[in-house]
Amino acid sequence: MKLLYLMIALMLNSMVLHAAEDSTIELNSADTDIHDKESLRRGAYLFINQCTSCHSAKYMRYSRLAKDLEISEEDVMSNMLRFGATKISDTISSAMTPDAGKNVYGVAPPDLTLEAKYRGVDWVYSYLMGFYRDENSTFGYNNRVLNNVAMPWILAGNQETMSKEEFSRDMRDLTNFMDYMAEPIKPWRQNFGKYVIIFLLVLLLPVWLLKREYWREIHGLR
Ligand code: HEC
Protein backbone atom coordinates (compact mmCIF):
# COMPACT_ATOMS: atom_id res chain seq x y z
CA MET A 1 0.00 0.00 0.00
CA LYS A 2 2.83 2.35 0.93
CA LEU A 3 4.43 1.55 -2.41
CA LEU A 4 1.20 2.48 -4.17
CA TYR A 5 1.09 5.86 -2.40
CA LEU A 6 4.70 6.43 -3.31
CA MET A 7 4.02 5.62 -6.95
CA ILE A 8 1.02 7.96 -7.05
CA ALA A 9 3.07 10.73 -5.39
CA LEU A 10 5.86 10.25 -7.92
CA MET A 11 3.42 10.29 -10.82
CA LEU A 12 1.78 13.50 -9.61
CA ASN A 13 5.17 15.01 -9.06
CA SER A 14 6.33 14.30 -12.59
CA MET A 15 3.03 15.57 -13.99
CA VAL A 16 3.44 18.86 -12.14
CA LEU A 17 7.05 19.10 -13.32
CA HIS A 18 5.96 18.55 -16.92
CA ALA A 19 3.25 21.14 -16.65
CA ALA A 20 5.75 23.58 -15.19
CA GLU A 21 8.20 22.83 -17.99
CA ASP A 22 5.61 23.48 -20.69
CA SER A 23 4.19 26.61 -19.13
CA THR A 24 7.56 28.33 -19.34
CA ILE A 25 7.33 28.34 -23.13
CA GLU A 26 5.19 31.15 -24.34
CA LEU A 27 3.20 30.21 -27.44
CA ASN A 28 2.13 32.62 -30.15
CA SER A 29 -1.52 32.56 -31.12
CA ALA A 30 -1.93 30.79 -34.48
CA ASP A 31 -5.02 32.85 -35.27
CA THR A 32 -6.00 30.57 -38.18
CA ASP A 33 -9.36 30.39 -39.91
CA ILE A 34 -10.32 26.91 -41.03
CA HIS A 35 -13.10 28.32 -43.26
CA ASP A 36 -10.57 30.29 -45.33
CA LYS A 37 -10.13 27.99 -48.34
CA GLU A 38 -7.53 30.23 -50.00
CA SER A 39 -5.34 29.88 -46.92
CA LEU A 40 -5.92 26.12 -46.76
CA ARG A 41 -4.97 25.73 -50.44
CA ARG A 42 -1.76 27.71 -49.98
CA GLY A 43 -1.01 25.61 -46.90
CA ALA A 44 -1.61 22.38 -48.80
CA TYR A 45 0.86 23.35 -51.54
CA LEU A 46 3.46 24.42 -48.98
CA PHE A 47 3.05 21.21 -47.04
CA ILE A 48 3.29 18.96 -50.07
CA ASN A 49 6.22 20.83 -51.62
CA GLN A 50 8.28 21.45 -48.48
CA CYS A 51 7.47 18.85 -45.89
CA THR A 52 6.71 15.52 -47.58
CA SER A 53 10.35 14.82 -48.42
CA CYS A 54 10.60 13.80 -44.74
CA HIS A 55 7.07 13.70 -43.28
CA SER A 56 4.12 11.64 -44.45
CA ALA A 57 0.45 12.36 -43.79
CA LYS A 58 -0.68 8.82 -44.24
CA TYR A 59 -4.31 9.31 -43.16
CA MET A 60 -4.98 12.06 -45.71
CA ARG A 61 -5.99 11.26 -49.28
CA TYR A 62 -5.30 13.63 -52.18
CA SER A 63 -8.86 13.07 -53.41
CA ARG A 64 -10.30 14.23 -50.08
CA LEU A 65 -8.27 17.41 -49.95
CA ALA A 66 -9.01 18.12 -53.62
CA LYS A 67 -12.74 17.90 -52.91
CA ASP A 68 -12.72 19.81 -49.62
CA LEU A 69 -10.34 22.57 -50.73
CA GLU A 70 -11.81 22.81 -54.24
CA ILE A 71 -8.63 21.99 -56.12
CA SER A 72 -9.26 20.51 -59.58
CA GLU A 73 -8.37 16.89 -60.23
CA GLU A 74 -6.00 17.91 -63.07
CA ASP A 75 -4.19 20.28 -60.76
CA VAL A 76 -3.73 17.56 -58.15
CA MET A 77 -2.63 14.99 -60.72
CA SER A 78 -0.07 17.24 -62.38
CA ASN A 79 1.15 19.44 -59.50
CA MET A 80 0.61 17.68 -56.22
CA LEU A 81 1.21 13.93 -56.28
CA ARG A 82 4.60 13.07 -54.81
CA PHE A 83 6.79 10.17 -53.76
CA GLY A 84 5.14 7.06 -55.09
CA ALA A 85 1.61 8.45 -55.24
CA THR A 86 0.14 7.75 -58.68
CA LYS A 87 -3.62 7.87 -58.15
CA ILE A 88 -5.72 10.70 -56.74
CA SER A 89 -7.09 8.25 -54.17
CA ASP A 90 -3.57 7.68 -52.75
CA THR A 91 -2.59 9.03 -49.33
CA ILE A 92 0.20 11.58 -48.77
CA SER A 93 3.38 9.57 -48.51
CA SER A 94 6.91 10.64 -47.74
CA ALA A 95 10.21 10.12 -49.55
CA MET A 96 11.77 8.91 -46.33
CA THR A 97 11.20 5.66 -44.46
CA PRO A 98 11.15 5.94 -40.65
CA ASP A 99 14.36 3.86 -40.47
CA ALA A 100 16.21 6.13 -42.89
CA GLY A 101 15.00 9.17 -40.92
CA LYS A 102 16.24 7.64 -37.71
CA ASN A 103 19.63 6.94 -39.24
CA VAL A 104 20.06 10.44 -40.63
CA TYR A 105 18.48 12.63 -37.93
CA GLY A 106 18.50 10.35 -34.91
CA VAL A 107 14.69 10.72 -34.73
CA ALA A 108 12.27 9.49 -37.38
CA PRO A 109 10.28 12.49 -38.75
CA PRO A 110 6.78 11.80 -37.36
CA ASP A 111 3.67 11.44 -39.50
CA LEU A 112 1.95 14.82 -39.45
CA THR A 113 -1.70 13.98 -40.19
CA LEU A 114 -2.77 14.38 -36.57
CA GLU A 115 0.02 16.69 -35.40
CA ALA A 116 -2.25 19.74 -34.95
CA LYS A 117 -4.57 17.71 -32.70
CA TYR A 118 -1.66 16.28 -30.74
CA ARG A 119 0.18 19.55 -30.09
CA GLY A 120 -2.48 22.18 -30.75
CA VAL A 121 -2.37 24.86 -33.47
CA ASP A 122 -0.63 27.45 -31.29
CA TRP A 123 2.20 25.02 -30.63
CA VAL A 124 2.58 24.13 -34.33
CA TYR A 125 2.57 27.78 -35.39
CA SER A 126 5.04 28.75 -32.65
CA TYR A 127 7.28 25.83 -33.61
CA LEU A 128 7.34 26.89 -37.26
CA MET A 129 8.07 30.49 -36.26
CA GLY A 130 10.49 29.39 -33.56
CA PHE A 131 13.66 28.38 -35.45
CA TYR A 132 16.71 30.52 -34.76
CA ARG A 133 20.38 30.38 -35.71
CA ASP A 134 22.50 28.44 -33.26
CA GLU A 135 26.01 27.46 -34.35
CA ASN A 136 26.21 24.76 -31.67
CA SER A 137 23.33 22.69 -33.02
CA THR A 138 23.79 19.97 -35.64
CA PHE A 139 22.10 21.77 -38.54
CA GLY A 140 22.94 25.33 -37.48
CA TYR A 141 19.41 26.02 -36.22
CA ASN A 142 17.71 25.41 -32.92
CA ASN A 143 14.06 25.83 -31.96
CA ARG A 144 12.52 27.94 -29.24
CA VAL A 145 9.65 25.50 -28.64
CA LEU A 146 11.45 22.19 -29.17
CA ASN A 147 14.93 22.64 -27.79
CA ASN A 148 17.75 20.70 -29.53
CA VAL A 149 15.43 19.97 -32.41
CA ALA A 150 16.54 17.22 -34.83
CA MET A 151 14.72 18.75 -37.81
CA PRO A 152 16.92 20.67 -40.27
CA TRP A 153 15.35 24.10 -40.83
CA ILE A 154 14.44 23.67 -44.46
CA LEU A 155 12.62 27.02 -44.67
CA ALA A 156 15.65 29.02 -43.46
CA GLY A 157 16.02 30.55 -46.95
CA ASN A 158 12.36 31.69 -47.02
CA GLN A 159 12.60 33.06 -43.49
CA GLU A 160 15.66 35.13 -44.39
CA THR A 161 14.47 36.50 -47.73
CA MET A 162 10.77 37.09 -47.05
CA SER A 163 9.36 39.91 -44.96
CA LYS A 164 8.20 38.93 -41.49
CA GLU A 165 4.53 39.42 -42.50
CA GLU A 166 4.84 37.26 -45.61
CA PHE A 167 6.67 34.51 -43.77
CA SER A 168 4.28 34.43 -40.83
CA ARG A 169 1.34 34.31 -43.24
CA ASP A 170 2.91 31.25 -44.90
CA MET A 171 3.42 29.56 -41.53
CA ARG A 172 -0.17 30.41 -40.57
CA ASP A 173 -1.42 28.83 -43.83
CA LEU A 174 0.68 25.76 -43.16
CA THR A 175 -0.69 25.49 -39.61
CA ASN A 176 -4.21 26.02 -40.90
CA PHE A 177 -3.77 23.18 -43.40
CA MET A 178 -2.40 20.91 -40.67
CA ASP A 179 -5.42 21.78 -38.52
CA TYR A 180 -7.74 20.86 -41.40
CA MET A 181 -5.80 17.64 -42.03
CA ALA A 182 -6.14 16.57 -38.38
CA GLU A 183 -9.92 16.81 -38.69
CA PRO A 184 -11.14 17.33 -42.27
CA ILE A 185 -14.74 17.42 -41.10
CA LYS A 186 -14.12 20.39 -38.76
CA PRO A 187 -15.31 23.22 -41.09
CA TRP A 188 -18.46 21.25 -41.91
CA ARG A 189 -19.03 20.36 -38.25
CA GLN A 190 -18.78 23.99 -37.21
CA ASN A 191 -21.22 25.11 -39.93
CA PHE A 192 -23.64 22.31 -39.17
CA GLY A 193 -23.50 23.08 -35.44
CA LYS A 194 -25.20 26.43 -36.10
CA TYR A 195 -28.18 24.71 -37.76
CA VAL A 196 -28.41 22.22 -34.90
CA ILE A 197 -28.65 25.05 -32.39
CA ILE A 198 -31.30 26.87 -34.48
CA PHE A 199 -33.24 23.60 -34.79
CA LEU A 200 -33.11 23.01 -31.03
CA LEU A 201 -34.30 26.57 -30.35
CA VAL A 202 -37.23 26.12 -32.75
CA LEU A 203 -38.04 22.74 -31.18
CA LEU A 204 -38.16 24.36 -27.76
CA LEU A 205 -41.56 25.98 -28.45
CA PRO A 206 -43.60 22.81 -29.28
CA VAL A 207 -41.82 20.90 -26.51
CA TRP A 208 -42.68 23.60 -24.02
CA LEU A 209 -46.31 23.70 -25.21
CA LEU A 210 -46.50 19.90 -24.97
CA LYS A 211 -45.11 19.96 -21.46
CA ARG A 212 -47.71 22.54 -20.49
CA GLU A 213 -50.44 20.34 -21.96
CA TYR A 214 -49.32 17.23 -20.01
CA TRP A 215 -48.93 19.05 -16.74
CA ARG A 216 -52.24 20.85 -17.06
CA GLU A 217 -54.11 17.58 -16.27
CA ILE A 218 -51.77 16.63 -13.46
CA HIS A 219 -52.10 20.05 -11.90
CA GLY A 220 -55.87 19.85 -12.45
CA LEU A 221 -56.12 16.55 -10.43
CA ARG A 222 -54.39 18.01 -7.44
C1 HEC B 1 14.78 17.12 -43.93
C2 HEC B 1 13.74 16.45 -43.23
C3 HEC B 1 12.56 17.26 -42.74
C4 HEC B 1 11.80 18.15 -43.46
C5 HEC B 1 11.93 18.53 -44.94
C6 HEC B 1 10.78 18.63 -42.57
N1 HEC B 1 10.91 18.06 -41.33
FE1 HEC B 1 9.72 18.34 -39.71
N2 HEC B 1 10.87 17.08 -38.61
C7 HEC B 1 11.98 16.40 -39.08
C8 HEC B 1 12.55 15.64 -37.99
C9 HEC B 1 13.79 14.76 -38.05
C10 HEC B 1 11.74 15.91 -36.85
C11 HEC B 1 11.92 15.38 -35.42
C12 HEC B 1 12.47 16.50 -34.58
C13 HEC B 1 12.72 16.17 -33.14
O1 HEC B 1 11.95 15.39 -32.55
O2 HEC B 1 13.69 16.72 -32.59
C14 HEC B 1 10.70 16.82 -37.28
C15 HEC B 1 9.69 17.33 -36.45
C16 HEC B 1 8.66 18.13 -36.86
C17 HEC B 1 7.59 18.59 -36.00
C18 HEC B 1 7.49 18.34 -34.51
C19 HEC B 1 6.88 17.03 -34.22
C20 HEC B 1 6.64 16.87 -32.74
O3 HEC B 1 5.47 17.01 -32.32
O4 HEC B 1 7.60 16.62 -32.00
C21 HEC B 1 6.76 19.35 -36.78
C22 HEC B 1 5.49 20.08 -36.35
C23 HEC B 1 7.32 19.36 -38.10
N3 HEC B 1 8.46 18.60 -38.11
C24 HEC B 1 6.76 20.05 -39.17
C25 HEC B 1 7.36 20.14 -40.41
C26 HEC B 1 6.82 20.94 -41.47
C27 HEC B 1 5.51 21.73 -41.40
C28 HEC B 1 7.66 20.81 -42.52
C29 HEC B 1 7.57 21.49 -43.85
C30 HEC B 1 7.68 22.93 -43.83
C31 HEC B 1 8.76 19.92 -42.11
N4 HEC B 1 8.53 19.55 -40.82
C32 HEC B 1 9.81 19.55 -42.92
C33 HEC B 1 12.47 16.41 -40.35
C34 HEC B 1 12.00 17.20 -41.40
Side-chain angles (χ1 to χ4, degrees):
M1 201 63 191
K2 263 188 193 159
L3 190 69
L4 190 70
Y5 282 138
L6 185 70
M7 274 165 64
I8 293 175
L10 280 175
M11 252 167 62
L12 286 176
N13 198 11
S14 70
M15 272 160 67
V16 171
L17 274 181
H18 271 291
E21 234 171 51
D22 286 343
S23 66
T24 56
I25 301 167
E26 220 176 277
L27 298 182
N28 309 43
S29 161
D31 197 21
T32 46
D33 174 9
I34 201 144
H35 301 281
D36 182 350
K37 289 213 169 129
E38 274 292 313
S39 154
L40 290 175
R41 278 194 286 267
R42 286 193 302 262
Y45 275 107
L46 269 170
F47 184 84
I48 285 166
N49 288 330
Q50 306 282 2
C51 316
T52 52
S53 45
C54 296
H55 295 279
S56 57
K58 62 181 175 193
Y59 303 108
M60 186 76 224
R61 286 183 198 284
Y62 286 99
S63 48
R64 173 82 202 235
L65 77 85
K67 185 165 155 269
D68 288 347
L69 310 188
E70 292 161 17
I71 304 176
S72 71
E73 200 172 320
E74 301 81 69
D75 205 350
V76 175
M77 292 304 285
S78 47
N79 299 322
M80 278 191 146
L81 298 193
R82 297 272 184 287
F83 309 127
T86 51
K87 301 186 297 295
I88 192 160
S89 57
D90 282 341
T91 54
I92 301 180
S93 51
S94 151
M96 190 170 278
T97 63
D99 281 346
K102 210 161 181 223
N103 281 339
V104 182
Y105 306 110
V107 189
D111 184 275
L112 292 182
T113 329
L114 299 172
E115 176 72 10
K117 274 261 182 279
Y118 167 53
R119 295 285 200 181
V121 282
D122 288 350
W123 190 95
V124 171
Y125 176 67
S126 306
Y127 171 77
L128 293 172
M129 293 297 289
F131 283 86
Y132 64 91
R133 259 188 198 288
D134 176 3
E135 300 312 328
N136 298 325
S137 53
T138 332
F139 299 105
Y141 276 86
N142 204 338
N143 190 283
R144 190 173 73 74
V145 182
L146 199 65
N147 197 26
N148 292 328
V149 70
M151 169 168 144
W153 186 216
I154 40 104
L155 295 179
N158 295 28
Q159 193 175 20
E160 274 152 25
T161 53
M162 289 167 113
S163 72
K164 182 135 198 285
E165 288 71 42
E166 276 176 326
F167 184 73
S168 61
R169 191 197 74 165
D170 273 7
M171 295 308 100
R172 197 161 273 134
D173 293 341
L174 203 44
T175 310
N176 204 13
F177 174 70
M178 285 169 69
D179 190 22
Y180 153 77
M181 201 159 56
E183 194 191 348
I185 209 170
K186 191 171 178 183
W188 183 86
R189 171 168 69 73
Q190 286 183 350
N191 282 338
F192 193 69
K194 285 182 211 142
Y195 295 113
V196 172
I197 289 173
I198 294 172
F199 171 73
L200 287 176
L201 285 176
V202 171
L203 193 68
L204 191 63
L205 183 69
V207 169
W208 178 72
L209 287 174
L210 199 64
K211 182 240 170 204
R212 228 176 47 153
E213 193 58 34
Y214 283 157
W215 281 83
R216 198 200 316 270
E217 260 179 42
I218 295 167
H219 283 310
L221 285 178
R222 259 204 266 141

